[in-house]
Amino acid sequence: MTLSPQLENKFSELLKRYPVKRSALVPMLLYSQDEYGHISDEMIAEIARRLDLNTLQVTETLVYYSMLRRAPAGHCHVQVCTNISCKVRGGEKLWEHAQKRLGIGHKQTTSDGVFSLEEVECIGACTGAPAAQVNYDFYECLTPEKLDAILDQFQAGKKPAPVPHVSGSIHERHPAEVPVISRRFGIKNSRKIEVYRKHEGYQGLEKALKEMTPEGIIEEVKKSNLRGRGGAGFPAGVKWSFVPKDSPKPKYIIANADESEPGTCKDRPLLEFDPHQLIEGMIIAGRSVNSHQGYIYVRGEYRYVLDIVDGAIREAYEHGFLGKNILGSGFNFDLCTHTGAGAYECGEESALMESLEGKRGYPRIRPPFPAVVGLYGCPTIINNVETLSAVPSVILKGAEWYAGLGPARNGGTRLFCVSGHVERPGIYELPMGFNLLKMIEVAGGMRGGKKLKAVVPGGSSTPALKAEECDIAMDFDSLAKAGSMLGSGGVVVLDEDTCMVDFARRIMKFYAHESCGWCIPCREGTSWIKLILDRFHAGSGRAEDIPIIDEAAKNIFGRTFCPLGDAAAMPMMAIVKKWRHEFEEHLSGRCPFKAAEVAVEE
Amino acid sequence: MAEQKTITFTLNEHKLTVPAGTVVIEAARRVGIEVPSFCYYPGLSLQAACRMCLVEVEKAPKLQTACTLVATEGMVVRSDTPQVHKARKDMLEFLLTNHPLDCPVCDKGGECELQDMTFRYGLDKSRFVEEKLHSPEQEWSPVVYYDAPRCILCFRCVRVCDEGMGVKALGVGSRGVNSVIIPNREDHLECEECGMCIDICPVGALTSGTYRYKTRPWEMSYVPTVCAHCSNGCKTTLSVRNNDILRANNRDLSGINKEFLCIKGRYGFDFVHHKDRLKLPLVRRNGTLQPSSWEDALAEVAARLKAIRDAHGPEAIGFIGSNRTTNEENYLLGRLARATVGTNNVDHHRTADYSALVQSLGEKSSAAQPGMEQLGAAKAILLIGNDPTNQNPLVAWEIRSAVRLHGARLYIINTQEIKLRRQAEQFVRIAPGAEALMARWLATGEGDLELDTSLEMMKLRGALEKEQDVVIVFGAELRGAAIGHLVEFGASLPGQTRFMALGDYANSRGAADMGLLPDRLPGYAPLSNAAARDAFGKLWGTSLPEAPGIDARRMLSDAAEGTLQALYVVGANPFKTFGTGGRPAGLELLVVQEMFLTETAQQADIVLPAACAYEKNGTMTNTAGEVQLLRKAMETMGTRTDFEILRIVSHQLAKAGMGKAIPLRTPEAALDEIRSGVPGYGVSMPGLLAGGAERTAPVVPANGHKLSDVPAESIFSARDTLFTSGTLSRYCTMINSVPEAKSEA
């Protein structure tokens, strides 16, 4: 098969990125789809040939990722997000409108081939909800009318301007905010290396390389109380210290930029406004464990972000921050990006590594943990973008300073993406331990003066808090004590008009869609609960369904192969426990909130 | 060997001491505690996917999967707590949500692991009221069908195909609850069609084209016997209903092959019912073969043989035996030729030079020939010639297992890029016909090698010289003196070296062992060995001729010239095998015992319809020298076993005044005589009867015997593939129906 020169270049460039050819598989598939609209049998055979795989290995990987398709889609592939943050701000209405307007349904294409439509899971535009993507471009804060205008332009062969960056990331700073990792947001051209360097950029790296030992770096990160921002909150320095120093194998640093926990859109601005901060953090992490190769795994939907990061990496090479003998220290570090192609499961660290190796994103048996046996069977540090982005500040300004920003054992600040029923959805950098009720005030308070009903504190997997539980410090330990989790920083605020049964249904729809299918309880349990909730919310609920939902969730909890099972089960258990009366109210055959269902925003 | 480190831990009430590194599920099984599982399968990679084996571990906050939990010193595990029982119930409830529960019409009903587990551990009611996922059944090949809704996604099939077979024809499609198993060619399979995926499937998701919707498992009887095809001697269990074989598999994992069977073992049984099967004796009258009674046909055989012997002497008669008949039948044929007729003109299509191997190993013979399972546990393997994947599938499986499970290093010398090269540490591609040269080079350093080959071979020899335990496996490319060179090379290696010669058919080894050779007695003693000759003479009640007879090829050429007048063929097709084109002109009498009207049988004067391997009792010896019991599963009306035919012929001849009748009335009696009379065949009866593979150990004193070069015309492989099996495979409808077989034809 003859490829276009640009695709040929892309392929050969991809093959240089990895020690194992197969790693190029998912990017190759996605890039060839970008060019041809879909992945043909011929292309599968061609990619298989280039990667020394059989076609089955290519196919089984391909069909795992939801962005990859075997059949052509429309010229403009319209993807409407209906996940929780979008849903509570009219995402489902928007979705219905899109279907009506285009006269097609989910994964269908208009007869003229111009449009295809897909209802998608969280695309990381939660503070710009409701949102949609047309191909890779983001359109946010939509209404049916705005969507119509956009579609009109596409229909006319024009391309309406997408949002320049995630909505809610640039705003007037609230006095309570403590900008550390977001301090360069809003500075003109902040993603350019010159600007970055003007604002303390690469100074932490210089300090780490010139003044600190690798052990000293790890010690400093440990002391900073920097805990994993992906959701689990594991102390970063401790994780780094698990990497065996005497291993003769290469070691890898991975930035997990597969941001996809519904309600979360904090990595997106970190990558688009300040990619060098992440790069610097990764080089420092590399230095601490004597690693010479890093990968940034960016979710496939964030294509423009990927391009930005690629550009930043190029600049960093040009300025000698990447490559050989960085800043004359003798330390070498190479870095490149890697694109995912639509799979929440790949945010789980071991599944991410499988995916990075060009396979289906199935999680791995642990132990051994990635620090010992990770990417390509080698010791690997894998951290969330936000975690690694905090590292330059920790090194530059010191662990003590960083730790002091938050309460005990919860160092620093974090980006909270406050979405849902607040006046000013946005991404706010606040100290760890910041009070949740005050956080809602930072985001402008409850929209339209409505009453607070519940808050999902850290992405859809974290158990929702009732209004009366919301007077709480937003840190790992306080939320754990309250039976929830700080999670990924996706704070979804719900007002009194929210139907919790419907909310639960949408959460479970997501987990059923994203279950990788590896283990029985998650694969079967999420799908079963989703079916019950569909039926229940549609008016055919039975009293006995309520305990079944609860028990099925409990039967998933703690028994699955990876944490995704718990992620699906925990919010269910919490909603059934805390809002059981709402389920009971549905037994009459209709949703008590139907009439008051949120009107689409102006 | 260093003593293996052990640890002691507690499982329920048991204190268990197990080798360090043992997973709890295995430790539990060893003491008879069942920890249920679907995805765990010994020898395949761990999954921890089905979550059925969750157990409680003291101090662990969550239940742990026993299949991945390595027992450690002092660990306290419980598999019998209410929490564990509830977890199993819950897991089964999840599994059954989308499972169709079509057990009454499912082939697996009655032998389904999901059924059994639900019976033992499951709930008595279902809470799932939603619509189940459904998709239509798919035919992936004539032998493999997939029913996605029944699939519980344990991934055993995917793993056995990838890890066990090295084929990787199965993968996983879609994800989440929509996950399915997918074949490698979109909607169908292109593979070795071994059917391992079907047998290993715990439920009825993968079913077999030969068996599906035919019967219920409890309606059948089960007959463990040995596969009738290649020389590897896989145990196969025939499922029989009303004198009809409906299925062949090895689900009880017994025998040397455990779960392994190839397409021939699993599907190559339908020849028994083939419409062309001979069911009446045929006698040539006025130029055409006419049906006859057994009495008339046998009387004619005896009368005409006697007439030829009387007119031309015993040397005018030749016997060509079979690679497929039992040891007892081969033994009887040799006895008929040597003791009743009085000639050493007895041979068979030799597909491996077992004789040279035994001869050159001398006293070391028994210890230096590993069994199949030992091959699977080998530390290093040198494979010269042959293509085991095609010709010796169990050998290939054992080699792959040795590499995969025991870290064995595989070295290959071959003229073709055979599939096993993927597992090889080093693969040396040599020029066609150069195998013997390589053996000589390895032993003596003599011989002109191309520069590239010589560098490769030096590297290979260097690697082998570092090995402590090597099994040398070789095909028919190595014969006579070349085998001597291999043995010589083996002796020069620092550690233990063992050997396995690869023949073609189910009892190729047994034919040679039982003395269907013109110059050797049963057990390989040369005819020149007076003591051995006397021993058999005594046993058979006559004195045996000393001069070696002529081999099969010579019999045919002598028959063309008229010096050989009568040819008696048992279960062989020499006109085809040796390519004579037709019946030799000077042949007076051709008697053929056969199942089908082969090229040779078509030319016969008398054709006697024979029973097949699945229709008789007896023993066979696989290429590794392991004897196993054959058990009769059914019978075809009108046929007789070769044993019975030969015995009657001997009686008829004796009655006609020619030699002595063979008094052995049954295969069991013949086996007794073999066990006591044939050197190296004193195998244990309890072992055999229990279904074991008993190692034979023929030893021929070296006595300065020098092996000579043996031409390829004398010993050669038919190079059968996975889909052919000499003449027999022509009549295997199911094998011939798979596309891979068609593309090879």
Side-chain angles (χ1 to χ4, degrees):
Chain A
M1 178 174 193
T2 328
L3 308 178
S4 66
Q6 63 269 24
L7 195 58
E8 192 66 61
N9 283 342
K10 193 80 211 176
F11 277 14
S12 55
E13 192 264 317
L14 278 171
L15 283 174
K16 285 185 208 128
R17 291 189 185 182
Y18 314 97
V20 175
K21 272 190 193 175
R22 186 174 178 159
S23 281
L25 178 55
V26 173
M28 277 170 124
L29 289 167
L30 192 58
Y31 289 122
S32 56
Q33 173 172 295
D34 288 348
E35 185 151 326
Y36 294 96
H38 71 290
I39 300 152
S40 62
D41 291 350
E42 206 186 355
M43 182 59 83
I44 289 174
E46 178 62 24
I47 291 176
R49 190 182 64 76
R50 287 174 187 241
L51 299 181
D52 296 330
L53 299 173
N54 67 33
T55 52
L56 177 68
Q57 288 170 306
V58 175
T59 307
E60 65 174 345
T61 304
L62 188 167
V63 295
Y64 178 86
Y65 296 92
S66 58
M67 289 174 69
L68 300 175
R69 52 181 180 258
R70 305 287 303 276
H75 191 61
C76 306
H77 187 51
V78 182
Q79 302 143 78
V80 180
C81 174
T82 59
N83 211 311
I84 51 172
S85 295
C86 285
K87 173 189 167 59
V88 300
R89 290 184 77 100
E92 283 171 339
K93 290 261 161 34
L94 195 68
W95 166 239
E96 275 165 35
H97 178 80
Q99 293 180 83
K100 234 179 267 162
R101 145 94 199 212
L102 294 173
I104 50 174
H106 180 58
K107 290 195 174 176
Q108 291 178 346
T109 307
T110 52
S111 53
D112 58 4
V114 175
F115 292 107
S116 52
L117 201 50
E118 187 173 350
E119 182 186 8
V120 292
E121 298 301 348
C122 182
I123 50 175
C126 317
T127 50
Q133 267 187 295
V134 179
N135 302 332
Y136 288 113
D137 294 315
F138 282 84
Y139 299 91
E140 301 177 353
C141 305
L142 294 173
T143 60
E145 296 72 29
K146 281 190 196 166
L147 182 66
D148 278 344
I150 289 165
L151 296 180
D152 285 342
Q153 289 207 52
F154 275 115
Q155 186 78 58
K158 284 180 257 171
K159 185 177 145 183
V163 292
H165 46 72
V166 59
S167 312
S169 54
I170 307 260
H171 46 72
E172 204 179 309
R173 291 284 182 186
H174 188 279
E177 281 195 84
V178 180
V180 177
I181 52 175
S182 69
R183 67 186 184 276
R184 284 173 287 259
F185 287 16
I187 294 175
K188 196 175 175 213
N189 288 330
S190 62
R191 67 179 69 132
K192 304 298 291 176
I193 196 163
E194 298 81 17
V195 179
Y196 181 65
R197 292 187 71 182
K198 245 183 251 166
H199 295 86
E200 302 173 320
Y202 289 112
Q203 292 176 14
L205 174 65
E206 192 158 356
K207 183 174 169 190
L209 289 179
K210 295 190 174 158
E211 297 167 27
M212 298 171 82
T213 61
E215 296 74 30
I217 298 171
I218 294 178
E219 260 327 292
E220 197 70 9
V221 175
K222 271 190 192 168
K223 275 194 292 186
S224 75
N225 289 335
L226 171 62
R227 290 170 68 170
R229 303 298 197 233
F234 194 81
V238 178
K239 202 181 209 180
W240 296 9
S241 69
F242 292 155
V243 172
K245 283 180 191 58
D246 46 358
S247 170
K249 293 179 180 172
K251 302 175 186 76
Y252 295 99
I253 309 294
I254 300 175
N256 185 346
D258 192 47
E259 175 167 76
S260 37
E261 173 77 14
T264 315
C265 56
K266 61 178 175 72
D267 296 339
R268 191 177 148 200
L270 282 169
L271 295 164
E272 61 184 3
F273 289 122
D274 211 349
H276 283 289
Q277 181 172 238
L278 170 66
I279 294 168
E280 184 179 353
M282 291 183 77
I283 305 169
I284 296 171
R287 171 66 168 185
S288 77
V289 294
N290 199 27
S291 158
H292 304 294
Q293 177 69 55
Y295 292 101
I296 304 175
Y297 184 108
V298 184
R299 68 180 299 194
E301 293 85 347
Y302 286 2
R303 170 54 60 79
Y304 80 98
V305 169
L306 190 80
D307 295 340
I308 289 170
V309 178
D310 275 334
I313 289 174
R314 262 196 307 278
E315 286 183 327
Y317 270 106
E318 283 160 16
H319 287 76
F321 294 110
L322 284 172
K324 299 255 174 291
N325 191 19
I326 297 167
L327 300 176
S329 64
F331 177 66
N332 309 328
F333 192 74
D334 288 300
L335 182 63
C336 50
T337 57
H338 178 94
T339 181
Y344 169 75
E345 178 62 26
C346 292
E348 195 280 335
E349 58 184 17
S350 66
L352 183 148
M353 289 185 286
E354 284 286 295
S355 177
L356 185 41
E357 290 179 15
K359 300 173 194 159
R360 293 170 64 84
Y362 284 143
R364 293 176 177 171
I365 293 171
R366 282 168 300 176
F369 289 94
V372 182
V373 181
L375 187 64
Y376 310 121
C378 300
T380 303
I381 288 181
I382 174 163
N383 278 126
N384 180 257
V385 168
E386 189 185 351
T387 317
L388 289 164
S389 293
V391 169
S393 301
V394 168
I395 295 300
L396 185 63
K397 302 189 176 167
E400 224 165 283
W401 166 80
Y402 189 80
L405 296 175
R409 292 187 311 280
N410 288 270
T413 58
R414 85 167 300 178
L415 294 185
F416 291 97
C417 332
V418 187
S419 67
H421 300 141
V422 290
E423 283 290 349
R424 284 195 307 275
I427 297 154
Y428 301 94
E429 184 165 7
L430 295 162
M432 290 287 272
F434 196 80
N435 181 279
L436 178 55
L437 290 176
K438 282 192 193 143
M439 192 180 294
I440 295 172
E441 291 314 311
V442 169
M446 293 303 292
R447 185 182 63 170
K450 290 274 186 182
K451 243 175 84 186
L452 175 67
K453 179 184 212 166
V455 174
V456 173
S460 68
S461 65
T462 56
L465 302 171
K466 286 157 79 170
E468 53 268 37
E469 296 172 298
C470 287
D471 189 6
I472 191 172
M474 291 289 275
D475 60 61
F476 291 107
D477 300 331
S478 306
L479 277 158
K481 229 167 100 189
S484 187
M485 289 172 77
L486 183 63
S488 58
V491 181
V492 187
V493 180
L494 306 176
D495 70 16
E496 56 191 318
D497 296 334
T498 313
C499 170
M500 293 308 283
V501 174
D502 198 25
F503 192 73
R505 181 190 65 77
R506 188 61 188 85
I507 288 180
M508 200 42 88
K509 180 182 177 184
F510 170 75
Y511 288 102
H513 183 260
E514 297 300 334
S515 169
C516 74
W518 184 252
C519 73
I520 293 170
C522 173
R523 179 180 77 225
E524 303 293 340
T526 53
S527 156
W528 183 16
I529 298 174
K530 174 201 167 275
L531 289 173
I532 298 173
L533 287 168
D534 281 348
R535 175 168 53 77
F536 204 100
H537 186 248
S540 303
R542 307 168 305 163
E544 60 262 44
D545 290 328
I546 304 170
I548 293 179
I549 294 167
D550 186 43
E551 283 165 32
K554 285 178 178 150
N555 294 346
I556 296 172
F557 185 73
R559 293 177 185 167
T560 52
F561 187 97
C562 83
L564 190 138
D566 290 358
M570 288 185 304
M572 280 312 107
M573 285 147 58
I575 293 175
V576 175
K577 187 175 162 200
K578 296 177 185 175
W579 289 279
R580 195 180 183 102
H581 59 280
E582 289 196 18
F583 285 85
E584 282 156 2
E585 286 160 28
H586 277 75
L587 290 174
S588 67
R590 66 180 288 280
C591 171
F593 296 89
K594 262 269 154 67
E597 192 96 304
V598 183
V600 171
E601 286 266 296
E602 273 315 307
Chain B
M1 227 170 90
E3 204 164 293
Q4 204 170 12
K5 207 174 159 266
T6 60
I7 62 97
T8 301
F9 79 109
T10 308
L11 175 61
N12 302 343
E13 308 312 328
H14 305 264
K15 271 243 174 312
L16 301 180
T17 301
V18 295
T22 307
V23 287
V24 168
I25 198 169
E26 269 305 317
R29 284 176 184 195
R30 281 175 208 172
V31 290
I33 295 176
E34 185 190 61
V35 176
S37 75
F38 291 111
C39 68
Y40 176 73
Y41 196 91
L44 297 180
S45 61
L46 298 177
Q47 308 272 287
C50 77
R51 320 303 287 177
M52 278 302 294
C53 68
L54 292 170
V55 290
E56 244 178 78
V57 182
E58 208 164 75
K59 295 197 188 88
K62 285 181 180 180
L63 297 177
Q64 306 283 311
T65 47
C67 68
T68 55
L69 182 67
V70 175
T72 54
E73 190 62 47
M75 184 184 263
V76 179
V77 181
R78 297 212 71 99
S79 70
D80 58 354
T81 65
Q83 194 191 3
V84 170
H85 286 297
K86 180 168 185 313
R88 291 174 186 170
K89 261 194 181 50
D90 299 340
M91 224 49 75
L92 285 165
E93 180 179 41
F94 281 140
L95 257 188
L96 293 177
T97 54
N98 276 304
H99 193 82
L101 297 176
D102 58 349
C103 313
V105 294
C106 176
D107 279 328
K108 205 72 170 190
E111 45 187 19
C112 168
E113 292 178 37
L114 180 57
Q115 244 180 9
D116 294 348
M117 293 239 197
T118 307
F119 183 79
R120 255 173 286 177
Y121 307 110
L123 286 163
D124 55 359
K125 60 180 189 299
S126 170
R127 297 191 291 178
F128 184 85
V129 297
E130 323 304 324
E131 195 175 326
K132 293 186 185 228
L133 282 173
H134 184 72
S135 59
E137 190 181 43
Q138 300 164 33
E139 179 185 344
W140 283 349
S141 88
V143 297
V144 184
Y145 285 71
Y146 179 61
D147 190 330
R150 288 182 190 154
C151 179
I152 60 168
L153 294 161
C154 65
F155 312 116
R156 283 188 200 173
C157 54
V158 174
R159 284 174 288 158
V160 80
C161 189
D162 176 12
E163 301 167 17
M165 296 302 298
V167 171
K168 190 152 183 57
L170 297 174
V172 188
S174 196
R175 74 177 185 209
V177 77
N178 298 308
S179 300
V180 286
I181 304 302
I182 52 172
N184 57 354
R185 294 285 174 264
E186 288 294 309
D187 60 348
H188 69 276
L189 274 171
E190 188 181 308
C191 65
E192 295 182 4
E193 304 283 2
C194 66
M196 293 287 292
C197 52
I198 297 170
D199 266 13
I200 209 166
C201 179
V203 295
L206 287 160
T207 52
S208 136
T210 56
Y211 173 74
R212 55 206 306 274
Y213 302 135
K214 282 212 177 120
T215 184
R216 307 303 287 166
W218 51 85
E219 292 175 335
M220 301 186 291
S221 56
Y222 298 92
V223 184
T225 190
V226 179
C227 173
H229 295 276
C230 89
S231 69
N232 294 176
C234 290
K235 207 201 105 189
T236 179
T237 301
L238 303 174
S239 306
V240 184
R241 187 188 63 182
N242 298 339
N243 200 38
D244 193 1
I245 304 173
L246 295 174
R247 179 171 75 172
N249 61 19
N250 201 32
R251 282 184 56 77
D252 64 359
L253 314 186
S254 61
I256 50 174
N257 46 309
K258 300 288 185 288
E259 60 272 273
F260 178 79
L261 279 178
C262 73
I263 179 169
K264 287 185 263 189
R266 210 179 300 274
Y267 304 114
F269 57 79
D270 54 4
F271 62 86
V272 298
H273 304 302
H274 196 279
K275 63 175 174 41
D276 294 345
R277 188 78 192 272
L278 297 172
K279 291 173 187 166
L280 273 177
L282 302 171
V283 177
R284 189 169 298 278
R285 309 233 184 268
N286 305 322
T288 59
L289 286 170
Q290 309 276 341
S292 157
S293 71
W294 272 101
E295 288 73 13
D296 293 349
L298 289 167
E300 187 161 341
V301 169
R304 291 178 69 176
L305 275 178
K306 169 122 191 337
I308 290 170
R309 207 273 315 247
D310 290 349
H312 304 283
E315 299 315 316
I317 302 175
F319 291 85
I320 296 179
S322 177
N323 277 304
R324 297 196 192 278
T325 49
T326 64
N327 287 326
E328 294 72 21
E329 291 166 338
N330 294 341
Y331 179 80
L332 222 61
L333 180 65
R335 182 168 170 176
L336 180 77
R338 292 191 159 108
T340 308
V341 176
T343 177
N344 282 321
N345 291 347
V346 53
D347 198 4
H348 67 288
H349 168 208
R350 280 175 270 166
T351 59
D353 200 347
Y354 300 112
S355 171
L357 179 61
V358 170
Q359 179 75 57
S360 49
L361 287 173
E363 299 296 337
K364 291 178 297 185
S365 174
S366 64
Q369 295 184 66
M372 285 293 169
E373 288 175 290
Q374 289 162 308
L375 176 63
K379 306 248 179 359
I381 298 164
L382 169 63
L383 172 67
I384 312 185
N386 205 275
D387 176 6
T389 308
N390 269 304
Q391 300 174 259
N392 290 275
L394 176 62
V395 166
W397 167 270
E398 296 292 0
I399 290 176
R400 287 191 302 267
S401 301
V403 171
R404 184 168 54 93
L405 302 174
H406 304 289
R409 285 147 314 271
L410 171 65
Y411 306 91
I412 297 180
I413 301 174
N414 209 293
T415 59
Q416 303 293 323
E417 296 215 314
I418 59 171
K419 258 193 190 173
L420 279 173
R421 74 179 189 283
R422 298 181 198 154
Q423 275 77 26
E425 190 88 358
Q426 195 190 344
F427 173 76
V428 185
R429 178 94 185 253
I430 56 167
E435 292 90 350
L437 181 65
M438 297 305 140
R440 192 170 115 201
W441 185 89
L442 284 172
T444 64
E446 291 164 14
D448 283 338
L449 268 51
E450 302 257 339
L451 181 64
D452 287 1
T453 314
S454 133
L455 291 174
E456 283 281 303
M457 288 296 288
M458 277 195 270
K459 183 178 159 210
L460 179 126
R461 184 163 65 187
L464 287 168
E465 279 165 354
K466 291 195 189 76
E467 298 288 355
Q468 291 303 310
D469 186 355
V470 182
V471 180
I472 301 182
V473 181
F474 57 95
E477 296 88 342
L478 297 175
R479 304 168 298 272
I483 293 176
H485 284 138
L486 273 190
V487 172
E488 205 181 318
F489 170 63
S492 76
L493 293 177
Q496 174 182 227
T497 309
R498 293 173 292 173
F499 300 86
M500 187 182 288
L502 301 180
D504 278 7
Y505 300 115
N507 207 20
S508 283
R509 173 100 195 205
D513 284 1
M514 290 302 112
L516 293 186
L517 299 165
D519 56 346
R520 303 228 171 212
L521 290 162
Y524 297 105
L527 283 166
S528 56
N529 180 336
R533 218 170 52 242
D534 289 349
F536 278 106
K538 213 160 151 198
L539 197 57
W540 295 344
T542 180
S543 68
L544 303 181
E546 184 185 345
I550 53 176
D551 69 13
R553 214 174 263 281
R554 177 83 187 279
M555 288 181 213
L556 295 174
S557 59
D558 281 7
E561 287 162 19
T563 46
L564 189 98
Q565 295 271 309
L567 188 59
Y568 195 113
V569 178
V570 178
N573 190 7
F575 296 174
K576 176 86 182 356
T577 306
F578 298 102
T580 54
R583 176 171 169 150
L587 197 61
E588 189 63 31
L589 172 66
L590 175 60
V591 180
V592 177
Q593 297 181 195
E594 247 307 342
M595 297 165 59
F596 296 100
L597 212 53
T598 62
E599 286 87 342
T600 306
Q602 283 165 25
Q603 306 289 326
D605 298 297
I606 300 158
V607 182
L608 303 171
C612 74
Y614 297 149
E615 295 163 335
K616 58 195 171 195
N617 292 325
T619 63
M620 282 190 180
T621 308
N622 72 0
T623 203
E626 296 167 302
V627 180
Q628 299 180 92
L629 217 54
L630 227 62
R631 284 195 174 87
K632 178 175 170 178
M634 55 165 293
E635 55 190 25
T636 296
M637 285 285 280
T639 65
R640 288 172 191 249
T641 64
D642 294 293
F643 187 91
E644 206 182 336
I645 301 171
L646 292 169
R647 195 178 68 82
I648 297 171
V649 167
S650 89
H651 278 267
Q652 297 269 13
L653 286 172
K655 213 158 66 181
M658 182 170 154
K660 293 190 88 174
I662 300 174
L664 302 167
R665 302 180 66 85
T666 60
E668 291 73 22
L671 179 58
D672 276 347
E673 188 172 305
I674 291 169
R675 287 173 59 236
S676 60
V678 178
Y681 261 72
V683 294
S684 138
M685 270 324 278
L688 267 187
L689 290 168
E694 295 297 310
R695 301 272 306 284
T696 58
V699 170
V700 182
N703 284 348
H705 187 98
K706 201 79 182 140
L707 292 167
S708 52
D709 283 328
V710 174
E713 292 81 46
S714 300
I715 298 173
F716 60 93
S717 163
R719 297 201 74 89
D720 276 300
T721 71
L722 277 170
F723 310 102
T724 66
S725 178
T727 310
L728 196 56
S729 55
R730 295 180 202 167
Y731 306 97
C732 295
T733 313
M734 193 46 94
I735 292 178
N736 290 314
S737 72
V738 303
E740 294 85 352
K742 287 176 190 148
S743 64
E744 291 208 357

